[in-house]
């Protein structure tokens, strides 16, 4: 028995499913999790001493690679002053100024502790501002696990086949309307059913929790104009795309201005952080200025702010990173595409910048329905082969691959060779 297996045996006795977040249980790929001991650059090491090329990157925040020296040092330094005060600090002001001065659609921002909290709070602010209750979300988009968002959700809920969670009272989701990603007609239909009731449309501008699904031409623009037409706020959930697709996230990349934006772990460089921000008059609805209540003892925690601000500053000062990441993305995802095309294997690969997903389906994947046509058994076999050969992928067909600045050309070629061997022997 491996050390990871031993740890998993212990874990399942005391933690539901042996894990603190469902996706990492490896359930959908018919395996048990590798317990991770440390990570450095593009590599992650398990409790048995195995080294893997990591394409999870802690689900996004490790854009500079694991254990990035400047981030690590900033944390050490901040720790010398104490871990948490539950009081206002200078570094929170620096973080807010840094973001607001560089991202035009973020005029004010509030730090929270996770993407889930960021979305829950942004939706509340949108409802408070508009005086409306309904929200429109898209099937397969995942916006964290707050009650109102667990409707046709992506990520772990999609993987486990329970897109609508048990334990969520009907009352909590009665105002959540669900549209089809990339289908503006479905959004128009929902608006026509409740023209004066929709507080917000919330969308992952690049969906990355049903696998990566790109917005088709005109989709995000169409959402912007429908929101303008109906007096509804547009919320971009940039937990995955923020500071990754471009410094200003998908909003900058596609040139669309959302009213509110939500960010996640990347703002903390891997520490537990999230944030929501946007137009000043909406953010001024939030307590203690306005009547929309939202709070958190650990929000803006000084250690998390130190780590996050160090990473954001580095990204801003090294803008070529985004071009590098796009080039690496082309090398990796474009390379996988070429291998599979040569083998005439049924597949679809969607990618943009550093994000990508290989779907085991011949259908064009453009929404939840087409993502669901993927052969998850084929994905599981591929996943296991890659893991056995030192490549650490997200353990679900419906998650993204993340590249970091630490993934070198050599490492990408090694990954492509492994894909080639898999395809030659199994497809
Ligand atoms: N899709 C999730 C991150 N956006 C996976 C991570 C998790 O749920 O633990």
């Amino acid at each position: 028995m491996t050390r990871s297996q031993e740890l998993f045996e212990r874990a399942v006795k005391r933690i539901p499913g042996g894990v603190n977040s469902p996706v990492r249980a490896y359930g959908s790929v018919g395996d048990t999790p590798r317990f991770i001991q440390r990570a450095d650059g593009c590599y992650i090491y398990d409790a048995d001493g195995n080294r893997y090329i990591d394409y999870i990157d802690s689900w996004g925040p490790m854009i500079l690679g694991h254990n990035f020296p400047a981030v690590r040092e900033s944390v050490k330094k901040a720790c010398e002053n104490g871990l948490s005060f539950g009081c206002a600090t200078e570094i929170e002001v620096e973080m807010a100024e840094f973001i607001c001065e560089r991202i035009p659609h973020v005029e004010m921002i509030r730090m929270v502790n996770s993407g889930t909290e960021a979305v829950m709070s942004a939706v509340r602010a949108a409802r408070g501002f508009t005086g409306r209750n309904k929200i429109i979300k898209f099937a397969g988009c995942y916006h964290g696990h707050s009650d109102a968002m667990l409707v046709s959700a992506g990520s772990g809920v999609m993987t486990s086949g329970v897109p609508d969670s048990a334990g969520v009272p009907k009352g909590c989701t009665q105002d959540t309307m669900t549209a089809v990603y990339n289908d503006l007609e479905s959004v128009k239909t929902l608006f026509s059913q409740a023209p004066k009731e929709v507080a917000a449309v919330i969308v992952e501008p690049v969906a990355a929790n049903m696998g990566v699904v790109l917005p088709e031409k005109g989709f995000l623009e169409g959402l912007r104009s429908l929101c303008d037409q109906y007096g509804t706020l547009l919320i971009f959930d940039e937990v995955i795309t923020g500071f990754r697709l471009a410094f200003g996230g998908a909003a900058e990349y596609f040139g669309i201005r959302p009213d509110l934006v939500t960010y996640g772990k990347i703002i903390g460089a891997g520490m537990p952080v999230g944030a929501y921000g946007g137009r000043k008059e909406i953010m001024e609805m939030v307590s203690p200025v306005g009547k929309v209540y939202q709070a958190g003892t650990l929000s803006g925690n000084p250690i998390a702010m130190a780590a996050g601000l160090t990473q954001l500053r580095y990204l801003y000062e090294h803008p070529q990173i985004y071009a590098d990441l796009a080039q690496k993305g082309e090398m990796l995802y474009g390379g996988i595409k070429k291998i599979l095309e040569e083998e005439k294997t049924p597949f679809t690969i969607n990618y943009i910048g550093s994000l990508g997903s290989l779907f085991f389906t011949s259908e064009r994947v453009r929404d939840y329905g087409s993502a669901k046509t993927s052969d998850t058994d084929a994905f599981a076999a591929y996943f296991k082969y890659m893991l056995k050969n030192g490549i650490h992928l997200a353990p679900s067909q419906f998650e993204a691959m993340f590249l970091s600045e630490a993934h070198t050309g050599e490492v990408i070629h090694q990954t492509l060779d492994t894909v080639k061997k898999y395809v030659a022997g199994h497809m």
Side-chain angles (χ1 to χ4, degrees):
M1 190 184 268
T2 65
R3 179 89 181 111
S4 276
Q5 285 165 339
E6 269 174 41
L7 288 169
F8 191 56
E9 274 201 359
R10 277 170 56 196
V12 288
K13 292 185 186 137
R14 296 294 184 194
I15 308 173
V19 288
N20 284 313
S21 195
V23 179
R24 62 179 86 148
Y26 282 39
S28 76
V29 291
D31 202 342
T32 53
R34 301 300 178 269
F35 281 69
I36 302 305
Q37 230 163 32
R38 68 185 182 91
D40 202 58
C42 68
Y43 294 109
I44 197 158
Y45 301 80
D46 72 12
D48 293 285
N50 299 308
R51 185 181 84 166
Y52 307 93
I53 300 169
D54 183 31
Y55 288 105
I56 297 183
D57 272 343
S58 192
W59 306 97
M62 300 309 169
I63 189 164
L64 300 173
H66 290 285
N67 203 9
F68 190 70
V71 173
R72 186 182 60 234
E73 292 314 310
S74 72
V75 169
K76 280 188 186 166
K77 195 158 169 258
C79 284
E80 282 166 17
N81 294 326
L83 301 188
S84 171
F85 315 125
C87 299
T89 58
E90 182 171 349
I91 195 157
E92 297 167 287
V93 186
E94 283 177 25
M95 174 67 101
E97 286 173 348
F98 186 80
I99 294 177
C100 293
E101 283 162 13
R102 285 159 186 81
I103 300 190
H105 53 279
V106 182
E107 294 167 358
M108 288 186 109
I109 191 162
R110 170 63 68 83
M111 291 293 141
V112 291
N113 301 288
S114 67
T116 292
E117 253 189 84
V119 167
M120 185 180 80
S121 310
V123 166
R124 190 178 300 147
R127 284 172 164 158
F129 181 76
T130 56
R132 300 172 175 186
N133 289 336
K134 294 199 184 300
I135 47 171
I136 295 177
K137 78 173 283 289
F138 294 87
C141 283
Y142 180 70
H143 303 290
H145 61 91
S146 66
D147 285 349
M149 289 296 136
L150 285 176
V151 181
S152 300
S155 189
V157 267
M158 184 169 176
T159 301
S160 61
V162 272
D164 309 318
S165 169
V168 176
K170 264 205 167 54
C172 293
T173 55
Q174 70 191 9
D175 289 316
T176 306
M177 304 167 98
T178 310
V180 179
Y181 200 81
N182 275 325
D183 180 353
L184 282 176
E185 286 308 312
S186 73
V187 184
K188 284 182 194 162
T189 304
L190 294 179
F191 268 120
S192 69
Q193 286 164 10
K196 294 202 165 99
E197 292 173 66
V198 184
V201 171
I202 182 162
V203 66
E204 286 182 81
V206 171
N209 286 286
M210 48 176 149
V212 171
V213 178
L214 273 56
E216 289 172 2
K217 206 168 182 299
F219 176 58
L220 298 174
E221 291 82 350
L223 293 183
R224 179 66 275 174
S225 57
L226 281 170
C227 285
D228 291 343
Q229 182 184 337
Y230 286 95
T232 294
L233 302 183
L234 179 60
I235 307 176
F236 274 6
D237 181 340
E238 298 236 38
V239 166
I240 289 184
T241 47
F243 304 101
R244 175 167 277 278
L245 208 50
F247 187 82
E252 177 188 315
Y253 189 95
F254 295 108
I256 311 282
R257 193 180 175 108
D259 300 293
L260 288 172
V261 63
T262 58
Y263 296 119
K265 40 222 158 211
I266 199 163
I267 288 205
M271 301 288 283
V273 181
Y276 65 107
R279 278 166 49 198
K280 188 166 186 278
E281 67 269 33
I282 306 170
M283 293 305 291
E284 281 183 338
M285 295 298 296
V286 177
S287 186
V289 189
K291 291 202 163 88
V292 173
Y293 197 73
Q294 180 269 309
T297 298
L298 292 172
S299 298
N301 171 274
I303 316 298
M305 293 297 99
L309 194 50
T310 303
Q311 175 158 281
L312 293 186
R313 280 192 176 127
Y314 191 92
L315 289 170
Y316 190 75
E317 285 160 12
H318 298 82
Q320 84 284 358
I321 283 176
Y322 294 101
D324 276 6
L325 287 173
Q327 206 184 5
K328 288 173 198 221
E330 190 53 51
M331 195 190 293
L332 176 65
Y333 306 123
I336 296 176
K337 188 170 179 214
K338 199 158 161 261
I339 292 166
L340 292 166
E341 271 168 1
E342 279 165 8
E343 293 295 324
K344 305 204 177 358
T345 306
F347 78 95
T348 291
I349 186 156
N350 288 347
Y351 63 98
I352 183 166
S354 60
L355 295 165
S357 285
L358 169 61
F359 295 93
F360 287 81
T361 176
S362 51
E363 279 205 26
R364 184 159 67 97
V365 179
R366 57 187 298 266
D367 57 19
Y368 184 73
S370 44
K372 289 285 271 185
T373 64
S374 302
D375 180 345
T376 51
D377 291 337
F379 175 82
Y382 167 71
F383 169 86
K384 282 190 202 159
Y385 181 89
M386 296 300 278
L387 190 67
K388 203 167 147 217
N389 289 281
I391 317 284
H392 191 238
L393 303 174
S396 162
Q397 170 70 92
F398 305 117
E399 300 288 349
M401 282 174 82
F402 296 87
L403 274 163
S404 77
E405 189 60 356
H407 288 85
T408 59
E410 199 186 323
V411 152
I412 293 172
H413 281 300
Q414 196 182 326
T415 307
L416 290 174
D417 282 344
T418 313
V419 173
K420 214 179 270 174
K421 282 185 196 135
Y422 178 76
V423 170
H426 297 80
M427 293 172 114

